[in-house]
Amino acid sequence: MQYCAFLRGVNVKGTNMKMAEVCQVFKDAGMENVNSVLASGNIIFSSDKNKDELKTVLEKAMSEYFNYEAFLFVKTAEETELYWTKNPFDKNDEFHTYAFVGSENVENILVNEFENASKSENEKAEIVNNIFYWQVSKGNTLDSSFGKVLGKKSLKDQFTSRNINTFEKILKKIHL
């Protein structure tokens, strides 16, 4: 079965890794047809294992090889496609749209955090198909109240986010 692993915290805040090395760690852990998409920790691969087994095996392999506490989220190719196709927001060059990949029910935690955060003009969030989407004007991602919530240490093992355009790039490399 074909999967995509979304790594959290790759190439930010001192956690630097080359995608070729990450791909090799995946291969050494028994994954096949391993490829990376962008330098933000999106790894496409094939395996006969289920998602829970893969998460455990790959987090352990990444943690040991790179000497850091690895968090990653594994989705099937079909699940990964939904992040792109279910996006509720129209394309607008003035905004960034993010989709959040994470633990089961993380969308409910995120919507609660979003509702409690102060919002900039036109900042929106929506859950579609159990996927949390966030739209924020360009230049305000890290300055927004909700953007700051995303860095909370208490949430670091719960999710990672990707710009919606990343999913389009991943889908061009996945064979559905």
Side-chain angles (χ1 to χ4, degrees), residues 102-131:
S103 306
E104 194 172 329
N105 297 318
V106 73
E107 69 277 6
N108 299 317
I109 294 168
L110 291 166
V111 80
N112 186 50
E113 292 284 357
F114 182 79
E115 287 170 356
N116 291 324
S118 57
K119 289 150 201 69
S120 61
E121 190 178 351
N122 299 317
E123 187 175 353
K124 299 184 254 187
E126 198 169 320
I127 295 174
V128 179
N129 222 55
N130 298 325
I131 301 169

Side-chain angles (χ1 to χ4, degrees), residues 154-167:
S154 62
L155 296 175
K156 70 180 179 185
D157 63 342
Q158 297 291 305
F159 67 87
T160 188
S161 63
R162 296 292 186 273
N163 186 298
I164 199 70
N165 299 327
T166 300
F167 291 97

